[in-house]
Amino acid sequence: MTILHLATPESFPAFPFTPYDIQLDLMRKVYSSIESSKVSIMESPTGTGKTLSLLCASLTWLRDEQQRARSGKLSMPSSIEEAPDWVLAQTIERRRRELEADELEYATRLATARKREAQLRKLSRGHVRKKPRLSPDNETDGGSDDEKAFLPETEDSREEECNLSPAVLALMRKLQRPDPACEDEKEPTCTKIYYASRTHSQLAQVLHELDKLQLRLNVAVSTIQPTPIDTSSSSKRPAAALDEAEDPAHGEGCGPRAVSLGSRKQLCINERLREKAGDLDEACRQMLGEKGKRRCPHLPPAEEETKMLDLRDQILATPKDIEDLFLVGQAADTCPYFGARRAIPQAQLVLLPYNLLLQQTAREALGIDLTGQVVIIDEAHNLTSTLLSLSTARLPLRTLTNARHQLSIYLSRFRTRLATAHALHLKRLMNLLDALVLYAEYWRGARDQGRVQDAGKSQNFKDKPREGDNGKAGQMPGKAVLPDVEVMTSAELLQRLGRKTEGVNLLEVEKYLRESKIARKISGYSVKTLAKAAGQDTVKLAKLARLSSTTPPLHAVESFISALSASSDDGRVTLSIVENQVEFKYQHLNPATYFQEVIDSARSVILAGGTMSPMDDVINQLFAGLSPDRLSTFSCGHIIPEKNLQTLVLKKGPRGGELQFKYQQRGNENLIAELGQILLNFTNVVPGGMVVFLPSYAFLHAVTKQWRTGGVLDKLGLKKKIFSEPQQSNEVESVLREYAAEIQSVNADANNKRRGALLFAVVGAKLSEGLNFADDLARAVIIVGLPFANLGSPELRERMNYVNRLEQRRVAAGAASSASRGVKDAGTELYENMCMNAVNQSIGRAIRHRSDWAALILVDARYASPRIRRKLPKWIESGTTVTETFGQAMKELGQFYREKKANI
């Protein structure tokens, strides 16, 4: 049977407004990319309705896909095509009625769930929620029977689990990680769109945009005898969105079944658990395996499965953000964390943060199967750095020592009671921990003594040089002092650990830790033992409370071992001194490794962002091995008229000297004075707010210190009130409020001598990403210098060397080299792209809607280089003017602002 190909629509009626041409182009590109199973990189400037366009196009495709699937179900197999026409007609009609009956039944169920949710919300408004009482059953008696709970499970007990422990099975496997062997029926699923973004606030905005769409994906059933709801509630969305959804579209149809996924910390409704200090995730996991009154009262047991199913239907009945999920869970007295996960199979739109989508372990825990599904990653400009961060594993020596101590306590008690296989695995683990601790201590000691032991000469690093050897014994040639940071491969680390670890198979150790879940049992027994020893000592008890609610240290060991066991040429191990203690860190160098799993599984993957330039960098780092036939790119212009944007490159200052804010020049007092004079001139012509981005906090502090001494800061303050971005993230919001209030007060008071406000910010910090400086908040955005990363960082050098090695392999296979593109090598290209990614994000803070206007000023002669300018977004780069003199720059700016003032 031929599968019907969906033609790209010329228009999108679901779009709530008359779309601009660039919005239509974007929606058509998204639709065709999904239908053609493409991997697409799409750049649409902030303020162009990117999120709404992505939702409209993808959900329109989903609606058409459902109709195509329905047509497929109604088509006749070739075996009965020869039957009489009346037989075919009756068969098709019967199938059509069956499909309609199924859809109507499901719609009725969701309508009932909406009514039930409204009733629960109404009741909960007048209900005083009491905390559950603590009972003696919540405490352990310390008897010998309790110790059995700390023993690892045997294979026999796991095989019998389905018959012997239905309650635990329902909690541990069905809710957390479903086991096909123990579930006879698999929950039905459907084609869905996974929409990922960086933060939950961004995902909440996606739901806000979803409400605007005029799209009906599903049959709607009017709720019988609707219950009026008190709309005076202070809840964020229920009054308008949730209550209104009781009778969606009056039977014409309703929007997609959507679910938002969040963390335990955001969704836990167990008040006593939330009040405890420490790791809430770990405390929740511990309660999952408990029985009776020790288990969480908000997680229904197997015999009350209908409560969880009711919550699932309520979640799917109307789109809800994280706050809504929390309130619905409270009203139903059922855990919304697990309720949201139960909703995934039947959801058509799944909203989730990056980490839940990109990590395979997280996807498996949630039961997310990306096969044949659509993945949209919004705000994808930092996807590469996120992938590298998620694949990084840290293991401080303090954590390593605690894990070793806990394992020692555990073995001293249970050594004789462990099965042979468990004893063997734990013995190997102890050997590995011993070796890591000893090597970390020796590495620190050798650094303090100013010499390095040659690991290649001695397999036993414990043979330290004796006093009187003048530091020559075992010293590596050419290395007199151990550096603060040392980088090595996983194989080199294992070699340095010595003979004690030669027989340890990291893959077996990692598999054992992961499958046996022994880490939690070891940590639990250790806490219990320490509790007995603490007695009534308040200091020890307080320390114990913190320890019992934190992640078991063996989990960090497991993550590090997992990284080492999966390591290849794509990874490096770093030893460094962090907060005065040795830290092991595994750093993956190839961000494409784990993202490849998403690409291979999904039908289509769309990366979208306001500033995805330079796109070559995204392709080289994430899609170098992808077939060109499957990869596509799209970059649209801005919705603003060209006259609303003035982009200048400032090569010279008022004194005529060339401006280059290189790292070596940032302490140059003359250059800093020149920058101060530049800003003083700009404050004379720029109205409203002026945002100045500097390369680092260190440079920000240096310039403000010199300007304060020289009086430049006072002169700037006479023109515009000065604000600086704080390094503490909890202070950022108050600074922004004061900055906005100052601009508004100046606009309201015509007699005010000031012309707005001046905000100093740092590229790559809080203010350079995710914040809007619309209208008068930023009539000029000034970027000072190019914020190159520290080239002295060993980790950065390793990554640059790695991409150079990859390029050499590609060139050997016939690909074009970086030199042919005007770049010295792939490492230099990566270095420049990292810098320009940060610049582009800072630039994108201005111009937030069609009527907005601003000037973008790049203060550094290096921006005049065609190679650097090509890395700017196309809508900016195409209109950039390179000024040869400062006078030319002031003339251009003056004319731009005079025209804007005349049009107001």
Side-chain angles (χ1 to χ4, degrees):
M1 182 179 63
T2 303
I3 299 177
L4 175 67
H5 180 80
L6 299 177
T8 303
E10 288 299 316
S11 62
F12 291 82
F15 202 77
F17 318 109
T18 302
Y20 300 117
D21 289 342
I22 61 171
Q23 291 172 330
L24 268 178
D25 292 341
L26 176 60
M27 288 190 284
R28 289 170 184 153
K29 184 66 176 179
V30 172
Y31 189 103
S32 63
S33 294
I34 296 174
E35 176 61 16
S36 303
S37 301
K38 296 274 189 179
V39 174
S40 299
I41 307 169
M42 302 191 179
E43 182 177 63
S44 179
T46 304
T48 57
K50 167 175 57 70
T51 301
L52 190 60
S53 299
L54 290 172
L55 284 173
C56 183
S58 58
L59 290 173
T60 297
W61 176 87
L62 185 61
R63 180 200 60 194
D64 295 346
E65 164 64 16
Q66 288 179 343
Q67 294 174 354
R68 175 168 57 184
R70 182 186 179 89
S71 299
K73 292 177 181 178
L74 291 176
S75 62
M76 291 295 98
S78 56
S79 58
I80 64 170
E81 283 183 351
E82 302 299 327
D85 291 345
W86 66 271
V87 174
L88 293 176
Q90 283 193 357
T91 304
I92 292 175
E93 179 62 21
R94 186 181 71 252
R95 288 190 177 184
R96 185 185 62 78
R97 288 197 302 267
E98 290 173 353
L99 289 174
E100 288 181 353
D102 290 343
E103 292 171 356
L104 188 61
E105 180 185 359
Y106 193 85
T108 303
R109 198 177 84 198
L110 293 188
T112 303
R114 279 190 288 272
K115 181 179 179 182
R116 172 65 176 159
E117 177 188 343
Q119 292 171 339
L120 289 173
R121 279 180 172 277
K122 186 176 181 181
L123 291 172
S124 66
R125 291 184 183 118
H127 176 66
V128 178
R129 193 169 287 104
K130 296 181 179 180
K131 298 178 183 178
R133 292 182 178 180
L134 290 177
S135 68
D137 292 331
N138 286 349
E139 307 295 334
T140 60
D141 58 13
S144 59
D145 289 342
D146 277 340
E147 291 190 348
K148 293 180 181 179
F150 297 112
L151 286 170
E153 297 171 355
T154 63
E155 290 296 325
D156 291 340
S157 67
R158 283 201 295 270
E159 290 174 1
E160 295 171 0
E161 187 180 22
C162 291
N163 296 324
L164 295 181
S165 305
V168 175
L169 173 65
L171 295 174
M172 296 293 291
R173 295 197 175 187
K174 195 171 183 180
L175 294 181
Q176 188 180 35
R177 189 177 288 190
D179 187 351
C182 297
E183 291 189 56
D184 296 328
E185 295 184 7
K186 189 175 182 180
E187 195 166 8
T189 186
C190 63
T191 303
K192 58 184 89 275
I193 295 167
Y194 287 94
Y195 197 110
S197 193
R198 255 184 346 108
T199 65
H200 284 287
S201 61
Q202 290 170 340
L203 292 174
Q205 181 62 29
V206 173
L207 280 180
H208 178 71
E209 297 295 306
L210 180 65
D211 288 340
K212 300 177 183 178
L213 288 182
Q214 301 167 1
L215 187 69
R216 306 305 175 193
L217 279 176
N218 305 297
V219 174
V221 176
S222 298
T223 306
I224 301 173
Q225 297 177 350
T227 305
I229 301 299
D230 179 11
T231 57
S232 63
S233 169
S234 60
S235 299
K236 182 168 60 65
R237 291 180 70 245
L242 299 180
D243 296 343
E244 184 180 286
E246 273 199 39
D247 195 6
H250 304 284
E252 295 176 5
C254 59
R257 299 187 297 272
V259 60
S260 299
L261 302 182
S263 65
R264 286 177 170 89
K265 184 177 181 180
Q266 294 163 318
L267 292 175
C268 179
I269 60 173
N270 187 324
E271 294 185 23
R272 290 200 175 275
L273 210 58
R274 292 174 66 88
E275 288 174 355
K276 289 184 177 180
D279 191 342
L280 189 144
D281 285 311
E282 186 57 32
C284 176
R285 291 189 186 101
Q286 289 177 1
M287 295 188 74
L288 284 177
E290 299 291 356
K291 300 178 182 179
K293 294 184 179 180
R294 297 180 189 173
R295 61 197 303 280
C296 181
H298 306 291
L299 194 56
E303 59 270 18
E304 297 179 15
E305 176 73 358
T306 53
K307 288 186 66 176
M308 185 61 72
L309 297 180
D310 285 344
L311 179 61
R312 176 201 64 188
D313 291 344
Q314 290 179 39
I315 291 171
L316 293 172
T318 54
K320 299 173 178 63
D321 64 16
I322 294 300
E323 293 181 26
D324 295 328
L325 281 177
F326 182 86
L327 294 174
V328 169
Q330 272 193 335
D333 198 29
T334 305
C335 177
Y337 174 80
F338 285 106
R341 276 139 182 76
R342 288 301 297 270
I344 293 174
Q346 297 178 27
Q348 294 164 316
L349 177 64
V350 180
L351 306 176
L352 69 171
Y354 279 176
N355 60 315
L356 297 184
L357 174 72
L358 300 176
Q359 290 180 299
Q360 183 181 7
T361 52
R363 295 197 302 272
E364 290 175 350
L366 298 174
I368 291 177
D369 182 5
L370 297 179
T371 305
Q373 310 293 10
V374 178
V375 173
I376 298 177
I377 301 179
D378 202 356
E379 303 298 333
H381 54 269
N382 55 10
L383 178 61
T384 299
S385 58
T386 301
L387 286 164
L388 291 171
S389 175
L390 291 175
S391 59
T392 298
R394 299 177 182 272
L395 184 60
L397 179 57
R398 185 181 297 113
T399 302
L400 182 59
T401 305
N402 288 340
R404 178 172 172 265
H405 179 63
Q406 289 188 358
L407 180 56
S408 177
I409 292 174
Y410 186 84
L411 285 175
S412 65
R413 180 67 183 88
F414 294 103
R415 190 185 305 274
T416 58
R417 300 175 63 179
L418 292 171
T420 304
H422 289 292
L424 183 60
H425 282 301
L426 293 178
K427 178 63 176 175
R428 290 171 177 168
L429 177 61
M430 178 61 83
N431 288 341
L432 180 61
L433 298 184
D434 284 342
L436 286 169
V437 169
L438 288 172
Y439 182 69
E441 291 174 345
Y442 170 63
W443 187 87
R444 175 63 183 268
R447 173 186 176 277
D448 292 341
Q449 295 172 22
R451 50 184 184 263
V452 173
Q453 181 72 23
D454 187 352
K457 292 183 179 180
S458 174
Q459 291 293 318
N460 189 349
F461 57 80
K462 290 183 289 184
D463 297 333
K464 303 176 184 177
R466 297 183 301 275
E467 291 185 16
D469 285 352
N470 297 321
K472 296 180 181 179
Q475 185 169 308
M476 293 181 71
K479 289 188 179 180
V481 179
L482 188 67
D484 291 340
V485 179
E486 186 175 3
V487 183
M488 66 192 76
T489 64
S490 299
E492 289 172 340
L493 173 63
L494 294 175
Q495 183 184 11
R496 296 185 187 194
L497 294 184
R499 296 187 181 92
K500 197 172 184 180
T501 61
E502 285 181 356
V504 177
N505 186 323
L506 291 181
L507 286 171
E508 289 184 1
V509 174
E510 186 273 333
K511 181 181 178 183
Y512 173 73
L513 287 171
R514 173 168 41 85
E515 294 184 352
S516 68
K517 298 181 177 60
I518 191 72
R520 192 168 292 113
K521 294 178 181 290
I522 292 173
S523 180
Y525 181 75
S526 176
V527 168
K528 178 184 174 181
T529 304
L530 292 174
K532 290 181 179 179
Q536 300 300 317
D537 189 319
T538 55
V539 176
K540 290 182 178 179
L541 288 174
K543 183 179 179 182
L544 186 65
R546 291 193 299 271
L547 179 63
S548 62
S549 59
T550 56
T551 303
L554 271 173
H555 280 179
V557 173
E558 180 183 343
S559 298
F560 185 70
I561 293 175
S562 177
L564 289 181
S565 62
S567 177
S568 59
D569 189 47
D570 291 350
R572 290 293 182 272
V573 178
T574 303
L575 269 80
S576 59
I577 305 297
V578 179
E579 295 181 356
N580 203 33
Q581 67 166 323
V582 178
E583 180 183 80
F584 291 94
K585 183 173 76 170
Y586 174 83
Q587 177 191 15
H588 203 70
L589 303 174
N590 186 359
T593 302
Y594 300 109
F595 194 54
Q596 190 64 41
E597 300 164 355
V598 175
I599 296 171
D600 291 341
S601 301
R603 173 194 179 100
S604 176
V605 178
I606 294 174
L607 308 186
T611 50
M612 295 299 294
S613 299
M615 285 194 184
D616 286 344
D617 180 57
V618 182
I619 295 172
N620 291 336
Q621 295 204 59
L622 297 180
F623 308 121
L626 191 66
S627 168
D629 295 337
R630 199 184 172 202
L631 181 65
S632 69
T633 61
F634 175 82
S635 180
C636 66
H638 212 294
I639 57 176
I640 62 169
E642 291 184 5
K643 63 181 181 180
N644 281 16
L645 176 67
Q646 173 78 69
T647 305
L648 300 177
V649 172
L650 191 60
K651 293 177 65 176
K652 295 182 179 180
R655 300 172 187 173
E658 187 174 66
L659 300 171
Q660 286 202 23
F661 290 87
K662 294 182 177 179
Y663 180 77
Q664 299 84 350
Q665 295 293 319
R666 290 178 189 170
N668 186 319
E669 293 185 358
N670 292 330
L671 189 63
I672 293 175
E674 188 89 338
L675 177 60
Q677 193 60 44
I678 290 170
L679 296 182
L680 276 172
N681 281 274
F682 285 169
T683 57
N684 290 325
V685 295
V686 178
M690 191 166 89
V691 183
V692 180
F693 284 99
L694 299 165
S696 66
Y697 279 110
F699 189 53
L700 170 60
H701 296 155
V703 298
T704 51
K705 180 180 180 181
Q706 181 174 324
W707 292 342
R708 187 177 291 109
T709 303
V712 175
L713 215 57
D714 292 334
K715 294 178 182 178
L716 286 171
L718 293 175
K719 303 291 182 65
K720 294 180 183 289
K721 186 171 181 179
I722 298 173
F723 298 87
S724 290
E725 177 175 6
Q727 289 187 254
Q728 300 298 323
S729 58
N730 60 346
E731 299 174 4
V732 170
E733 189 174 343
S734 62
V735 170
L736 284 176
R737 279 199 304 268
E738 293 174 13
Y739 172 73
E742 175 64 22
I743 292 172
Q744 291 168 1
S745 66
V746 168
N747 292 342
D749 184 3
N751 297 321
N752 197 318
K753 295 181 179 180
R754 282 180 174 160
R755 294 171 51 85
L758 170 61
L759 175 61
F760 288 107
V762 175
V763 175
K766 187 74 174 177
L767 295 182
S768 68
E769 188 171 335
L771 293 174
N772 297 340
F773 290 101
D775 300 320
D776 281 344
L777 291 182
R779 290 307 184 191
V781 172
I782 302 166
I783 311 292
V784 179
L786 283 96
F788 285 108
N790 179 12
L791 199 54
S793 164
E795 296 174 351
L796 176 59
R797 298 297 304 178
E798 282 295 327
R799 196 161 166 232
M800 292 174 65
N801 292 336
Y802 173 77
V803 297
N804 281 334
R805 292 195 299 271
L806 286 184
E807 184 188 43
Q808 290 170 5
R809 295 174 195 169
R810 287 197 291 267
V811 170
S817 66
S818 297
S820 65
R821 301 191 299 272
V823 185
K824 182 178 179 181
D825 54 45
T828 304
E829 178 87 347
L830 171 69
Y831 188 56
E832 290 181 354
N833 288 340
M834 291 171 62
C835 168
M836 291 307 296
N837 281 332
V839 169
N840 290 339
Q841 282 306 301
S842 300
I843 288 175
R845 296 313 93 210
I847 310 293
R848 311 304 288 187
H849 56 83
R850 181 173 177 81
S851 302
D852 206 353
W853 51 271
L856 305 178
I857 307 164
L858 307 174
V859 184
D860 197 301
R862 290 172 291 175
Y863 283 111
S865 162
R867 191 179 75 250
I868 295 295
R869 285 210 314 276
R870 281 197 299 268
K871 298 179 189 296
L872 292 168
K874 289 182 180 179
W875 64 279
I876 294 177
E877 190 268 338
S878 60
T880 299
T881 301
V882 178
T883 60
E884 296 298 330
T885 65
F886 184 73
Q888 181 189 354
M890 289 300 297
K891 181 180 178 181
E892 295 276 357
L893 279 178
Q895 182 178 350
F896 174 74
Y897 288 115
R898 281 194 298 272
E899 290 178 357
K900 294 305 163 190
K901 186 176 181 180
N903 293 332
I904 294 177

